[in-house]
Amino acid sequence: MGALTASHVEELHQQYARRVYGYTYRRIRDVSSAQQITNDVFRIAWQQQKSPAADVLPWLLVTARNLVANELRAIQRQRRLAQKVGGEELHRRESSPDPMSEAVREVLDSLRAAEREILMLSYWDALSLAEIAALLDCSVDSAKSRLFRARKAFSRKAPNHMLKGGTENGQH
């Protein structure tokens, strides 16, 4: 394949930057870090000569996942170092989400990592089963089964009022 032109890289960025940023932000919860990681994903895509093709989104998200993991490890190292040296606790940006969002986050946090990841890929990142399968390196049928099991796990742990038709006091 020949070298990509600037227009190819721009097209790739225009098509997928918002989705890559959303994926990254939901995992790292820091605007500047998410922007930096998104930029790094597209820099790597340019270096790897990725073209705007239908199957490039899973590759972009795997790259973002790896960069997010690196960033989270770096943050953990910084926190441990700050605590060890007796320094000031690193500041985390706290947002005040609405109560329903916080309740959903708590239920998601109580799930296994694999269940949480597939639900986020499906609902927050709006990926198709084929895209999820490519990202998780499994078959579409396997992705479908994993998503089904994750939905069941979520519904078992979610309070009644969070589920369709439920209310605070559990009545329908």
Side-chain angles (χ1 to χ4, degrees), residues 103-114:
V104 169
R105 175 61 64 189
E106 287 175 15
V107 174
L108 283 173
D109 288 344
S110 73
L111 297 175
R112 292 186 357 245

Side-chain angles (χ1 to χ4, degrees), residues 6-163:
S7 64
H8 286 110
V9 176
E10 280 183 36
E11 183 182 341
L12 183 68
H13 189 269
Q14 285 176 345
Q15 284 181 354
Y16 299 112
R18 184 175 298 201
R19 293 187 73 183
V20 171
Y21 173 81
Y23 175 90
T24 302
Y25 179 77
R26 281 185 288 282
R27 283 150 184 83
I28 208 143
R29 296 185 195 167
D30 179 70
V31 172
S32 65
S33 294
Q35 289 170 338
Q36 182 61 47
I37 290 170
T38 300
N39 291 338
D40 288 344
V41 166
F42 286 97
R43 177 187 47 80
I44 293 168
W46 172 71
Q47 291 171 335
Q48 298 289 320
Q49 297 287 301
K50 294 295 180 183
S51 63
D55 63 344
V56 76
L57 181 61
W59 184 91
L60 293 169
L61 296 180
V62 166
T63 303
R65 179 177 61 191
N66 293 337
L67 293 173
V68 165
N70 290 344
E71 180 70 14
L72 292 174
R73 281 191 295 273
I75 289 169
Q76 283 300 101
R77 282 192 302 272
Q78 289 173 344
R79 284 190 184 139
R80 284 192 303 269
L81 181 61
Q83 290 172 350
K84 185 175 181 179
V85 197
E88 203 173 284
E89 179 70 26
L90 297 176
H91 298 289
R92 277 196 304 160
R93 189 173 158 164
E94 296 278 332
S95 61
S96 54
D98 65 272
M100 183 60 86
S101 294
E102 189 58 33
V104 169
R105 175 61 64 189
E106 287 175 15
V107 174
L108 283 173
D109 288 344
S110 73
L111 297 175
R112 292 186 357 245
E115 294 168 338
R116 181 174 46 254
E117 180 70 8
I118 198 161
L119 287 171
M120 291 178 76
L121 290 171
S122 178
Y123 292 99
W124 273 273
D125 298 317
L127 297 181
S128 68
L129 282 172
E131 291 168 329
I132 291 171
L135 183 66
L136 298 179
D137 195 27
C138 67
S139 70
V140 173
D141 287 338
S142 179
K144 188 175 181 179
S145 295
R146 290 179 191 185
L147 182 57
F148 176 80
R149 288 191 302 271
R151 286 177 179 148
K152 286 290 191 190
F154 185 93
S155 67
R156 280 192 304 271
K157 294 187 178 198
N160 280 342
H161 71 276
M162 190 183 298
L163 302 174

